[in-house]
Amino acid sequence: MMAGKLIDGHYHLGRTAKTTRFENVEDLFAYREEAGLEAVCVHSIVQWETKNLLRNPLAILAKLTDPKRIYAFGGVIYPQPDRQSEPFDYAGQAKELISMGFDGIKIQNKPLYKGEWSLPYYHENFDDFFAWLEKEQIPVMFHVGDPKEFWDINRIPKQMYDFGWYYGEDLPSYESFYEETDRMLKKFPGLNMTIPHFYFLSDDLKRLRHFMDTYPNVKIDITPGGEMYFNFSICQDFAREFFLEYQDRILFGTDNYGGNEDSGSKEQRLLGIKKIQEMKAFLEQKESVFQGVRLRGLSLPESVLHRIYRDNFIRWAGKEPKPVRPLEAEQMVKGYRRLAEEREEGKDLLPDFDKVLEALEKRRGPRE
């Protein structure tokens, strides 16, 4: 397969637990070029945390800077957790994000946040939000749960434990996330939704097949979780059969991200490119090495690879990224800057907000 026919449909400007900064936009452009990708889709998780406030502004700047090759899914700002039960205009925000040029909406339901945020997505407070997304067929990337191992102190990888992603008995169970998603989808079964990381069901493909057949509008992506590829290798024949059966509903993505205070930009790009190479080798070959372990690969037909690498994403998110409305984008950035300024922990972000506004001003040109 030609690298230029590959779209990374799942990229983050910064690591989930870290503050996203202005320089991460340049990391994105260097990554796309060095990896030889046709396009990259940036996903912004915002919620209520101040450290996330630069994500939507930087994503819209990236789209304006490289409008033919950068897609972006915007994240909605949530109320503070102590006000989560109050009505909130999630739908209005989503409409504004799509209107200004975002290609879809990113939603996060990660166990890490359940200690603060217990309101489930099937709650009536989200009904207008999901009803609009379903009616307009807006592409939605909806992260649900985490690997089963993260609830088991004897099985969780040390790196994930060090991130603080061991959930133990103090957070909702692994199964509770599937129950919540099922209740939400029963209300809004027509959502144009992709669930990443194979819905963390790579070790139970029969269950995943039942889910896919129950909700035929839902798609999944193959973004690691490395456990996915080891699980696929164990049941190689069944996994290959699954990929062939659902070849029109499986998308390629990496979870790669830009450099930050823990690692330099170049180091992250090299690691990201290596991940792409290992993922492709697993999909294309009968045997491959993934994260230092020799696995039995899937050796998929080229027609299926084309769908997974590119065609399924385009059919989902659009043949080209949506054009940005610069004035609406600028108003959004100014609103986010005011919010950061009002919060003590947001003061550190203000210089980066000013850089975004300066870059937007240059790209917009003089007012008519």
Side-chain angles (χ1 to χ4, degrees):
M1 293 291 295
M2 295 175 59
K5 296 298 182 182
L6 186 67
I7 294 176
D8 184 349
H10 192 145
Y11 180 90
H12 297 282
L13 289 170
R15 181 178 285 175
T16 300
K18 300 294 183 181
T19 302
T20 301
R21 309 309 299 239
F22 183 84
E23 56 266 25
N24 293 142
V25 175
E26 291 303 322
D27 296 336
L28 163 64
F29 299 143
Y31 164 73
R32 191 209 64 75
E33 183 174 348
E34 291 176 18
L37 298 168
E38 178 181 351
V40 177
C41 184
V42 174
H43 294 275
S44 297
I45 302 163
V46 184
Q47 299 179 305
W48 64 88
E49 296 180 293
T50 302
K51 67 180 177 63
N52 298 341
L53 287 176
L54 275 164
R55 290 178 175 174
N56 282 342
L58 291 173
I60 211 74
L61 174 61
K63 279 178 62 78
L64 268 172
T65 305
D66 196 353
K68 298 295 186 183
R69 294 180 291 196
I70 302 298
Y71 295 80
F73 280 37
V76 170
I77 296 177
Y78 290 14
Q80 291 299 307
D82 61 354
R83 303 188 65 181
Q84 63 186 280
S85 62
E86 300 175 12
F88 197 73
D89 192 11
Y90 303 99
Q93 285 192 67
K95 292 174 185 177
E96 289 176 358
L97 291 170
I98 298 301
S99 173
M100 77 179 63
F102 280 95
D103 302 282
I105 298 295
K106 170 77 175 195
I107 305 172
Q108 174 97 312
N109 194 17
K110 195 171 175 66
L112 180 68
Y113 298 106
K114 285 294 191 182
E116 297 179 82
W117 188 277
S118 59
L119 196 74
Y121 280 106
Y122 56 75
H123 191 276
E124 63 183 9
N125 283 10
F126 290 102
D127 282 358
D128 289 346
F129 176 60
F130 284 121
W132 182 77
L133 293 171
E134 182 182 50
K135 177 176 178 290
E136 299 299 325
Q137 284 296 286
I138 304 299
V140 174
M141 178 68 84
F142 187 23
H143 178 111
V144 179
D146 260 335
K148 192 180 297 181
E149 293 85 351
F150 289 12
W151 279 264
D152 186 340
I153 191 64
N154 297 311
R155 297 176 64 199
I156 182 172
K158 182 180 183 304
Q159 184 183 25
M160 300 299 106
Y161 182 87
D162 292 342
F163 282 161
W165 290 359
Y166 169 63
Y167 304 134
E169 298 178 358
D170 297 329
L171 294 174
S173 69
Y174 170 81
E175 282 297 331
S176 70
F177 290 88
Y178 296 94
E179 294 165 4
E180 180 178 342
T181 303
D182 200 55
R183 290 183 64 174
M184 185 269 289
L185 282 171
K186 278 185 166 63
K187 294 174 78 171
F188 305 101
L191 282 166
N192 184 19
M193 189 167 81
T194 294
I195 300 179
H197 313 294
F198 239 68
Y199 201 15
F200 298 110
L201 288 176
S202 60
D203 65 339
D204 194 350
L205 295 180
K206 290 182 180 178
R207 180 178 180 178
L208 182 55
R209 172 179 279 166
H210 175 74
F211 175 79
M212 299 286 278
D213 292 345
T214 303
Y215 302 107
N217 222 35
V218 174
K219 293 153 280 289
I220 50 177
D221 85 12
I222 56 171
T223 299
E227 84 287 342
M228 290 166 42
Y229 294 83
F230 302 115
N231 290 335
F232 294 151
S233 180
I234 291 169
C235 60
Q236 179 191 39
D237 291 341
F238 190 35
R240 189 175 191 275
E241 179 184 318
F242 186 97
F243 272 75
L244 293 176
E245 183 175 356
Y246 298 100
Q247 60 185 271
D248 293 324
R249 296 167 63 189
I250 300 174
L251 283 67
F252 187 91
T254 65
D255 234 358
N256 285 334
Y257 58 90
N260 55 35
E261 57 265 41
D262 294 331
S263 57
S265 302
K266 186 174 181 58
E267 178 187 353
Q268 275 307 314
R269 291 198 298 277
L270 291 174
L271 288 171
I273 292 168
K274 181 182 178 184
K275 183 190 292 187
I276 290 172
Q277 292 169 342
E278 291 187 349
M279 291 172 67
K280 290 177 84 271
F282 179 84
L283 296 172
E284 296 172 14
Q285 301 171 13
K286 289 185 177 180
E287 291 188 356
S288 70
V289 175
F290 189 88
Q291 296 181 355
V293 179
R294 184 166 294 280
L295 300 180
R296 298 189 301 166
L298 299 185
S299 187
L300 295 172
E302 188 163 319
S303 60
V304 176
L305 293 170
H306 273 295
R307 291 184 177 95
I308 293 172
Y309 289 163
R310 179 181 186 273
D311 296 349
N312 292 342
F313 177 86
I314 286 175
R315 194 169 63 252
W316 178 52
K319 190 173 182 179
E320 290 187 345
K322 288 181 59 178
V324 175
R325 297 174 183 256
L327 289 177
E328 289 185 29
E330 189 175 328
Q331 289 306 308
M332 182 261 296
V333 176
K334 288 179 178 177
Y336 280 41
R337 188 191 187 283
R338 286 193 295 270
L339 190 56
E341 194 170 18
E342 292 167 1
R343 302 178 181 181
E344 185 58 38
E345 67 272 28
K347 300 291 195 296
D348 184 50
L349 302 180
L350 299 183
D352 283 30
F353 270 108
D354 292 337
K355 291 178 183 177
V356 176
L357 287 168
E358 181 181 356
L360 289 176
E361 180 76 22
K362 288 179 180 177
R363 299 208 166 271
R364 177 173 54 77
R367 295 179 186 269
E368 293 183 358

